[in-house]
Amino acid sequence: MKPFLGWLKTNRTKIWVGAVTLLLVFYLVVSLQRSVLLLSDPEPVAKAIGAAYLVLPVIGAWALIRELLFGARTEQMARVLEAEGGLPEDNLPRTPAGRIIRAAADQEFEKYRTETEAAPDDWRSWFRLSCAYDASGDRKRARSSMRDAVRLFRASGDAVAR
């Protein structure tokens, strides 16, 4: 029982992603089925609503695939950096509630910003900058930096070599 609980704790995020993905796929299938029903209705208004409703599963499937690929590539880059010893250390001070102290994260951020400015074509520096943005609480820039890291990672050939 203990090994199972350890596995469960280690893979908690992947389990949640899988559960949310299954729920979204179920929703997309139901949406598709409803749009087909509306398209088969003889009323022109129902057909128009069915056609408009057909767009939801298409956009949802595209977004789901895009986000799953983003997560898989991010995880792949993290494994490469871990093997190289290049992952940023999580040694920032925290509040009693476990949140990173913002001033410390902002101070650490400058190091990674400077590194990225010095090597703008290195996906590793963008990955670390993304982690620094995340620690500073700027999720939008963290995601943007990670997308830059993914783009450079794919272009570098490291994605194929691993």
Side-chain angles (χ1 to χ4, degrees), residues 59-71:
I59 292 172
W62 169 79
L64 176 65
I65 290 167
R66 184 171 183 233
E67 291 305 309
L68 289 175
L69 287 173
F70 176 74

Side-chain angles (χ1 to χ4, degrees), residues 73-74 76-88 111-132 142 145-162:
R73 289 179 182 133
T74 301
Q76 185 182 16
M77 289 186 303
R79 281 194 304 266
V80 170
L81 277 178
E82 183 179 34
E84 296 173 352
L87 277 178
K111 175 173 80 172
Y112 295 112
R113 185 181 59 77
T114 304
E115 175 192 2
T116 305
E117 287 174 352
D121 294 331
D122 183 14
W123 66 264
R124 292 163 182 85
S125 64
W126 283 100
F127 186 98
R128 288 187 282 267
L129 180 65
S130 175
C131 294
S145 295
M146 191 59 78
R147 288 208 185 280
D148 289 338
V150 168
R151 181 180 45 79
L152 291 167
F153 179 70
R154 292 180 69 202
S156 73
D158 287 343
V160 178
R162 308 269 176 203

Side-chain angles (χ1 to χ4, degrees), residues 16-141:
W16 278 111
V17 167
V20 170
T21 299
L22 285 175
L23 287 172
L24 181 58
V25 167
F26 175 73
Y27 171 77
L28 295 175
V29 168
V30 170
S31 295
L32 183 64
Q33 185 244 0
R34 295 295 175 198
S35 66
V36 169
L37 283 174
L38 286 168
L39 285 169
S40 65
D41 194 287
E43 289 292 319
V45 173
K47 285 187 184 299
I49 292 172
Y53 202 45
L54 189 61
V55 172
L56 289 176
V58 172
I59 292 172
W62 169 79
L64 176 65
I65 290 167
R66 184 171 183 233
E67 291 305 309
L68 289 175
L69 287 173
F70 176 74
R73 289 179 182 133
T74 301
E75 189 175 351
Q76 185 182 16
M77 289 186 303
R79 281 194 304 266
V80 170
L81 277 178
E82 183 179 34
E84 296 173 352
L87 277 178
E89 283 188 46
D90 186 10
N91 56 2
L92 294 172
R94 298 179 184 273
T95 65
R99 293 181 185 229
I100 295 173
I101 295 174
R102 182 83 183 251
D106 290 344
Q107 194 174 17
E108 186 83 1
F109 172 81
E110 287 304 316
K111 175 173 80 172
Y112 295 112
R113 185 181 59 77
T114 304
E115 175 192 2
T116 305
E117 287 174 352
D121 294 331
D122 183 14
W123 66 264
R124 292 163 182 85
S125 64
W126 283 100
F127 186 98
R128 288 187 282 267
L129 180 65
S130 175
C131 294
Y133 271 127
D134 187 59
S136 294
D138 192 344
R139 303 280 190 265
K140 186 176 180 180
R141 285 193 176 120

